[in-house]
């Protein structure tokens, strides 16, 4: 049974906190961007704090921000976007049940929320949890159940990257826990655009909360790893976060801002919230454009 948590008619304590969070963000943005340059030529990259920052109007092709967009870097769980594309292109039944096995445990992961071993839910629900909550066991189970197993799954990820023209991208495993999963910001915009072709990837990557119910375990709650999505402070169309030590904090996202489809890539961010602040800065700067 699938449970996507919806807001009730009355505000809960959690919802009040969300509204307060939005108010604080709005106030901070108003103070921060009163005199902010609107993508002034030659100064764009100076106003962003991620070591790699790339912002593009994907409809016109206009590059708004470019800091180290051709630098090859580990991409952590951004890898899961490509994994999701491979799942959806495989033709395997989304209603087919998958069981989380011990071999799906990602020993390198310190994530707080993990699917319990023995959980049996549909491939579709496994994919939702893998995308929205960056659940490594979910992605490992999807790769293991692929025709030919995990090796064939990773090969399909690399083949798809080649087909998309992602010349500087390579995967050696499906989750992104390996620092050898690498790409560039320019390649990741191509990945975002391909992800936009799949309504399920858009939906699942922007799901705020989700309860896994399998009839065996107590409901297992998962939340989106992106606070911009959780707090509904931007019209996000598709997104993915990531983190391992070698990659730093990562974020790829496409959002609708003043009627424009804007792709953003922030890699090698220091500090837990730097990548999100960079995304909000881009939003505020674009909204100042008349």
């Amino acid at each position: 049974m699938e449970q996507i948590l919806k807001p009730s008619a009355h505000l809960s304590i959690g919802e009040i906190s969300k509204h307060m969070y939005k108010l604080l963000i709005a106030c901070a943005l108003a103070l921060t961007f009163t005199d902010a340059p609107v993508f002034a030529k030659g100064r764009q990259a100076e106003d962003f704090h991620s070591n790699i920052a790339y912002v593009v109007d994907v409809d016109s092709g206009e590059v708004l921000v470019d800091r180290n967009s051709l630098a090859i870097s580990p991409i952590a769980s951004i890898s899961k976007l490509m994994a999701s594309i491979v799942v959806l292109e495989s033709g395997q039944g989304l209603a087919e049940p998958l069981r989380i096995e011990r071999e799906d445990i990602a020993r390198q992961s310190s994530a707080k929320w993990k699917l319990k071993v023995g959980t049996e839910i549909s491939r579709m629900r496994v994919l939702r949890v893998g995308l929205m909550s960056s659940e490594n066991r979910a992605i490992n189970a999807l790769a293991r159940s692929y025709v030919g197993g995990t090796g064939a799954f990773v090969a399909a990820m690399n083949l798809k990257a080649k087909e998309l023209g992602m010349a500087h991208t390579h995967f050696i495993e499906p989750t992104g826990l390996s620092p050898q999963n690498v790409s560039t910001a320019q390649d990741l915009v191509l990945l975002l655009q391909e992800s936009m072709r799949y309504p399920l990837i858009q939906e699942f990557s922007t799901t705020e909360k989700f309860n896994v119910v399998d009839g065996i375990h107590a409901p297992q709650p998962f939340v989106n790893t992106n606070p911009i999505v959780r707090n509904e402070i931007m019209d996000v169309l598709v997104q993915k976060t990531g983190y391992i030590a070698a990659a730093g904090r990562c974020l790829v996202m496409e959002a609708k801002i003043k009627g424009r489809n804007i792709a953003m890539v922030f890699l090698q961010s220091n500090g837990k919230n730097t990548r999100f602040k960079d995304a909000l800065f881009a939003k505020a700067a674009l909204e100042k454009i008349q």
Side-chain angles (χ1 to χ4, degrees):
M1 180 179 180
E2 186 170 350
Q3 291 187 0
I4 303 173
L5 306 187
K6 302 288 188 182
S8 64
H10 302 286
L11 289 177
S12 66
I13 292 176
E15 287 168 323
I16 292 171
S17 297
K18 176 187 285 189
H19 285 282
M20 289 299 296
Y21 181 90
K22 287 184 187 178
L23 181 60
L24 288 171
I25 287 290
C27 292
L29 287 174
L31 291 171
T32 302
F33 300 118
T34 299
D35 298 310
V38 184
F39 295 125
K41 210 165 192 179
R43 288 205 52 201
Q44 304 100 319
E46 296 177 12
D47 298 307
F48 292 83
H49 300 287
S50 301
N51 290 329
I52 297 174
Y54 192 52
V55 180
V56 182
D57 183 322
V58 296
D59 295 323
S60 69
E62 181 184 2
V63 176
L64 301 169
V65 176
D66 189 339
R67 172 185 279 170
N68 301 321
S69 67
L70 286 174
I72 298 173
S73 174
I75 58 170
S77 286
I78 309 303
S79 305
K80 292 180 172 73
L81 280 179
M82 184 64 82
S84 300
I85 290 169
V86 169
V87 170
L88 293 176
E89 288 193 344
S90 71
Q92 293 178 290
L94 294 179
E96 179 185 347
L98 292 186
R99 178 184 167 89
I100 303 301
E101 306 288 0
R102 290 196 176 278
E103 63 190 286
D104 300 323
I105 295 174
R107 305 291 179 184
Q108 316 97 304
S109 173
S110 59
K112 181 178 180 181
W113 304 110
K114 303 172 184 177
L115 282 169
K116 291 182 171 63
V117 172
T119 298
E120 189 170 310
I121 53 177
S122 69
R123 179 174 278 107
M124 181 178 289
R125 292 171 186 167
V126 173
L127 180 59
R128 186 190 292 272
V129 172
L131 264 179
M132 63 160 286
S133 197
S134 211
E135 218 292 333
N136 293 303
R137 296 179 183 184
I139 298 299
N140 281 332
L142 291 165
R144 172 178 52 78
S145 64
Y146 186 79
V147 177
T150 300
F153 188 89
V154 174
M157 291 173 68
N158 284 310
L159 179 60
K160 187 65 180 180
K162 184 176 180 180
E163 290 175 356
L164 294 175
M166 299 172 66
H168 304 291
T169 300
H170 186 70
F171 304 97
I172 70 160
E173 53 81 42
T175 66
L177 286 171
S178 169
Q180 295 182 60
N181 280 19
V182 297
S183 188
T184 67
Q186 290 191 21
D187 277 7
L188 293 178
V189 169
L190 297 176
L191 180 58
L192 276 173
Q193 289 307 102
E194 182 67 11
S195 299
M196 285 286 293
R197 295 182 56 242
Y198 298 87
L200 285 180
I201 293 180
Q202 291 189 57
E203 177 188 344
F204 292 175
S205 72
T206 58
T207 298
E208 294 179 36
K209 300 177 182 180
F210 180 69
N211 269 357
V212 171
V213 179
D214 66 352
I216 300 172
H217 304 91
Q220 301 173 63
F222 290 86
V223 299
N224 200 295
T225 54
N226 187 337
I228 292 175
V229 171
R230 292 198 307 270
N231 293 286
E232 300 173 349
I233 51 180
M234 196 183 299
D235 184 8
V236 179
L237 305 175
V238 67
Q239 66 84 38
K240 188 70 196 74
T241 63
Y243 172 73
I244 57 172
R249 307 283 175 175
C250 304
L251 172 66
V252 299
M253 185 166 69
E254 185 160 330
K256 183 77 74 174
I257 303 174
K258 288 197 73 175
R260 303 167 71 179
N261 288 328
I262 304 296
M264 308 181 197
V265 178
F266 302 111
L267 307 176
Q268 296 183 12
S269 294
N270 296 316
K272 187 174 182 180
N273 293 314
T274 301
R275 54 194 160 162
F276 305 122
K277 290 177 181 177
D278 280 348
L280 292 173
F281 183 95
K283 174 179 182 287
L286 281 162
E287 287 175 343
K288 285 175 69 72
I289 298 174
Q290 299 302 317

